[in-house]
Amino acid sequence: MSRPSNHQLTLNLFIYPGGHHEAAWRHPSSDAHRLLDITYYQELARQAEAAKLDAVFLADGPSLPENVRYASRFRLEPITLLTGVATATERIGLIATASTTYLDPYNLARLFASLDHISRGRAGWNIVTTGAPQAAANFGLDEHPVHADRYARAREFLEAVTALWDSWEDDALVIDQASGIFADTSKIHRIDHAGELLRVAGPLNVPRSPQGRPVYVQAGSSKDGRAFAAAHAEAIFTAHQTLGDARDFYADIKARVKGEGRDPDQVRVLPGISPFIGSTETEALELQEEFDALIQPEYSLQQLHQLLGVDLRGFDLDGPFPVGVLPTTGDRQESSRFNLVADIVRREAPTIRQLLRRLAGARGHWVTAGAPEQIADRIEEWFTGGAADGFNVMPPYLPGGFDAFTDHVVPILRERGLFRTEYEGSTLREHYGLQRPPSRFGATIRRAENRW
Amino acid sequence: MSRPSNHQLTLNLFIYPGGHHEAAWRHPSSDAHRLLDITYYQELARQAEAAKLDAVFLADGPSLPENVRYASRFRLEPITLLTGVATATERIGLIATASTTYLDPYNLARLFASLDHISRGRAGWNIVTTGAPQAAANFGLDEHPVHADRYARAREFLEAVTALWDSWEDDALVIDQASGIFADTSKIHRIDHAGELLRVAGPLNVPRSPQGRPVYVQAGSSKDGRAFAAAHAEAIFTAHQTLGDARDFYADIKARVKGEGRDPDQVRVLPGISPFIGSTETEALELQEEFDALIQPEYSLQQLHQLLGVDLRGFDLDGPFPVGVLPTTGDRQESSRFNLVADIVRREAPTIRQLLRRLAGARGHWVTAGAPEQIADRIEEWFTGGAADGFNVMPPYLPGGFDAFTDHVVPILRERGLFRTEYEGSTLREHYGLQRPPSRFGATIRRAENRW
């Protein structure tokens, strides 16, 4: 397996159904009527594959936000959606978000093992604990578990599913017609996970998949999130508004990874970037203005409510953001996205409307407008400046905003030697330069007590 | 939507990874090395579609049977697998088994809604409560819930997921770029299910799918199973060894359906048939013998153990089946498959080895060997004799056993006017002649209290 040169960017396409700008679906160029059509996603993934991107990525959450009234907020289930994409592509990685709070380890392990088999080794799992409190009521809970409890379950959950994915050794499947041995059951193991929160016996009922297990992706930048990422993540999605913040995060997370005894090169740090691209900077800014003009404050205020826990309906949109309403204690403080927005408010003292526009592009991710050379410059600056191993590319509108990126920005990155011209491998691990993890039950450390 | 003529058979292909005969994978014609390869399943489904069959069907269970040592018993997760098949086919229905005991309603509702969208209306759900007690330990339970408790949960589960699939009215998705209304939230509803066992608030985060909801398929023939099927099922898979038993079951279930105030024609009763097909009956019987010769008693005894709850290892295989070991009380009595096997034992007084062979073909389903005309005759006899609306075709080996069926039996059924020459519709409901269910929240009965 090749390790990507440190001079090679990692680039994912983060597909937000109509594009990341909250009003993207209202733009005449939008394919909003195709958001339930699998061919829409297949086409985007094929375009990403033609541009030799590493992966496509889908977010998720098991509840319906109320502001679906004003924008595309429904969600096809990402593992099924990406399975439908897998069979229409060959090389592109497929990263699905799934919640450790609202799924069972055994079911989740099966779903991802199946996607990894069906895609021949291209599955990634974006591990989330689910931020939206309304999810709880869909699963019979009175209260959404607090941040610390969600992370406690996430840690145990990851332990259990990792063991499930190890439960078949690579060579357990024998299929020897003559002897009649289908599987060597001495190489299939119970996991007997019995923790504080979860009990899972195993083994999994799916043989070990091409990548051993999906690539572990993580996106929380809270204290708990960073600790979790340092211990487990192989790719980290993160949101930063400035090069300085991104660089601080990058240094911190790589040091934490090292502190866990892991190789920092085995963790790709990938900030989000949502680029408006025009043939000139002026054109790009005009394009951004076209989208910002379509914003609906009702929607944006509901988004802000969800993000900050404060309802600003009734406030004067053109008055200053009332800093005093921000909670200063409680669970919300644990959220990295809350803190990012609170920082913007404190740093820039915007009006409410200015803040809504600031967040409309990509919910707190880095939104930037420019000509292709400028976008490439900014990407290169973050990449060579110790702030990123690559990016989660978040086109503000689709498919047009992604066309502009693949047609005009990727070629420049390639000319500069920053991005691959061909895939070298065929699995997501190979694209990311990650080692394939051995099964813990493998020959060198076979444990008799887990014989099945 | 067309209603199928009562003179038209319904035919599904039930794909058991290597074929239904337990030793199929050992036969030289087997594709056993391709069982983790999605193209294997895509090819089978395309073949079923070329023959104009109604659907492909996959069984499932969330645990690994120990006898995977001797035969193909692992399972890719069926909803993902069938999503990978959906994108390679156009018309064939896609029926996935999923457990009401070991999944959450919200997650299951999303998975099937996604499959129904991705396949443009071809999803079916085979509703099971999971028979294998070892599943419990994979989900943190001390004990597998008893039959009656599993059915109690199944009933409530079905109520909740049906409401979730109704939670978006058909015209809730507006996507009006000019007004900025993406969804008419007055047509999206909380379900507020609060039963004895489950609480689910809703709404689902996926718009109503092409079929409204997946086709409800049910396969238990126990007392609880029949009552459940009569109330809810739109297709019933059932196992019978004789025309008489099948006819009794058919009459009973249709009467129960009527008793529930439902139209008996809106329920397809589909026994399993596992046909060995040769150019003559002798050739077919020789073929069956070829497979039976590959049986491994270790495997078959474990199967029997799972089915009957009795371990016969150590008994003389050529001695009479020890009827006295069969439990006469307890949960096992509730299982229709247990009773079917117990009946064979009492009726035929076989040796253990004879019983193992009897069950090796299709785990208690009807195994029959003959020339194509004979197989067609038997199918016609059951169909016209009031024992079946069609069949779940269970090829003893794959792909060869299915080739024989599509190449030689289907044309005869077609000549006799018993089976379609072309699809008339494009959804599974249309193939089965089932009505598309309206949302309970639709215009005529809109309930203000569920406004969201």
Side-chain angles (χ1 to χ4, degrees), chain A residues 113-448:
Chain A
S114 299
L115 176 59
D116 204 46
H117 279 295
I118 291 169
S119 66
R120 300 174 200 273
R122 296 185 282 139
W125 172 27
N126 181 39
I127 307 164
V128 301
T129 69
T130 301
Q134 70 266 29
N138 291 331
F139 294 85
L141 299 186
D142 289 322
E143 294 281 349
H144 186 54
V146 298
H147 197 272
D149 290 347
R150 297 204 307 274
Y151 269 94
R153 179 175 158 108
R155 285 187 291 270
E156 217 189 294
F157 194 109
L158 198 72
E159 227 176 281
V161 291
T162 304
L164 283 172
W165 286 318
D166 282 350
S167 63
W168 289 61
E169 295 182 39
D170 285 315
D171 53 353
L173 210 52
V174 176
I175 313 184
D176 181 358
Q177 294 178 325
S179 72
I181 302 301
F182 186 80
D184 179 350
T185 42
S186 76
K187 295 179 175 171
I188 303 175
H189 306 271
R190 295 180 63 88
I191 68 162
D192 288 331
H193 176 89
E196 279 182 47
L197 302 165
L198 296 165
R199 283 183 303 142
V200 186
L204 195 61
N205 58 357
V206 182
R208 194 163 165 83
S209 73
Q211 294 189 111
R213 52 176 166 82
V215 170
Y216 289 169
V217 178
Q218 200 273 351
S221 300
S222 65
K223 201 169 125 267
D224 282 339
R226 289 184 196 210
F228 185 88
H232 306 295
E234 298 171 297
I236 298 173
F237 295 160
T238 175
H240 301 290
Q241 293 279 331
T242 66
L243 174 59
D245 283 351
R247 198 181 268 149
D248 289 348
F249 177 82
Y250 187 95
D252 177 62
I253 205 79
K254 294 275 178 168
R256 285 170 187 258
V257 168
K258 221 172 158 180
E260 291 280 344
R262 300 176 63 209
D263 175 358
D265 285 346
Q266 291 286 302
V267 180
R268 312 299 287 169
V269 177
L270 309 171
I273 181 173
S274 187
F276 282 96
I277 302 162
S279 49
T280 63
E281 184 169 29
T282 309
E283 221 181 273
L285 287 165
E286 281 167 7
L287 187 64
Q288 181 171 9
E289 179 53 36
E290 248 181 62
F291 282 84
D292 283 352
L294 297 171
I295 290 174
Q296 305 185 77
E298 299 87 339
Y299 176 88
S300 318
L301 286 169
Q302 285 179 1
Q303 283 291 93
L304 203 64
H305 188 174
Q306 208 177 327
L307 212 59
L308 301 182
V310 294
D311 186 353
L312 297 180
R313 280 173 295 189
F315 280 73
D316 175 9
L317 293 182
D318 295 306
F321 184 96
V323 183
V325 303
L326 288 178
T328 53
T329 55
D331 204 46
R332 192 70 59 165
Q333 297 294 309
E334 303 293 328
S335 152
S336 52
R337 199 59 63 86
F338 171 89
N339 289 311
L340 182 147
V341 176
D343 282 351
I344 295 176
V345 167
R346 294 193 193 101
R347 192 170 59 232
E348 304 178 9
T351 65
I352 294 175
R353 194 186 301 276
Q354 282 166 340
L355 183 69
L356 296 183
R357 283 207 169 200
R358 192 82 152 74
L359 298 177
R363 306 172 307 286
H365 281 277
W366 181 29
V367 179
T368 183
E373 287 280 346
Q374 293 175 301
I375 301 297
D377 288 349
R378 291 167 201 167
I379 286 176
E380 183 170 1
E381 187 187 12
W382 283 42
F383 179 53
T384 59
D389 296 316
F391 290 88
N392 224 12
V393 179
M394 303 168 65
Y397 60 107
L398 286 171
F402 189 49
D403 293 343
F405 187 80
T406 56
D407 292 353
H408 300 294
V409 178
V410 169
I412 299 172
L413 297 172
R414 207 164 264 152
E415 272 165 35
R416 297 183 187 176
L418 296 172
F419 191 61
R420 71 169 69 84
T421 52
E422 276 305 331
Y423 289 113
E424 290 174 26
S426 64
T427 69
L428 177 55
R429 287 193 176 280
E430 288 167 337
H431 303 337
Y432 276 2
L434 301 171
Q435 275 146 24
R436 184 175 186 276
S439 164
R440 74 191 59 193
F441 300 112
T444 52
I445 50 162
R446 185 166 297 162
R447 298 194 308 196

Side-chain angles (χ1 to χ4, degrees), chain A residues 25-27 60-61 69 75 77 87 102 107 110 114 120 137-138 140 142 177-178 180 182 199 201-202 205 296, chain B residues 25-27 37 60-61 69 75 77 87 102 107 110 114 137-138 140 142 177-178 180 182 199 201-202 205 296:
Chain A
W25 73 273
R26 298 189 63 194
H27 195 267
D60 195 47
R69 178 168 171 81
R75 293 190 185 282
E77 192 286 322
T87 54
Y102 294 112
N107 290 328
R110 291 190 72 196
S114 299
R120 300 174 200 273
N138 291 331
D142 289 322
Q177 294 178 325
F182 186 80
R199 283 183 303 142
N205 58 357
Q296 305 185 77
Chain B
W25 73 274
R26 299 189 64 194
H27 195 266
D37 178 350
D60 195 46
R69 177 168 171 81
R75 293 191 185 281
E77 192 285 321
T87 53
Y102 295 112
N107 291 328
R110 290 190 74 196
S114 300
N138 291 331
D142 289 322
Q177 293 179 326
F182 186 81
R199 283 185 301 143
N205 58 357
Q296 305 185 79

Side-chain angles (χ1 to χ4, degrees), chain B residues 22 72 87 138 151 164 215 217 226 310 362 372 380 394 419 433:
Chain B
E22 65 185 39
S72 167
T87 53
N138 291 331
Y151 269 95
L164 284 172
V215 170
V217 178
R226 289 184 194 210
V310 293
E380 183 171 1
M394 305 168 65
F419 191 61

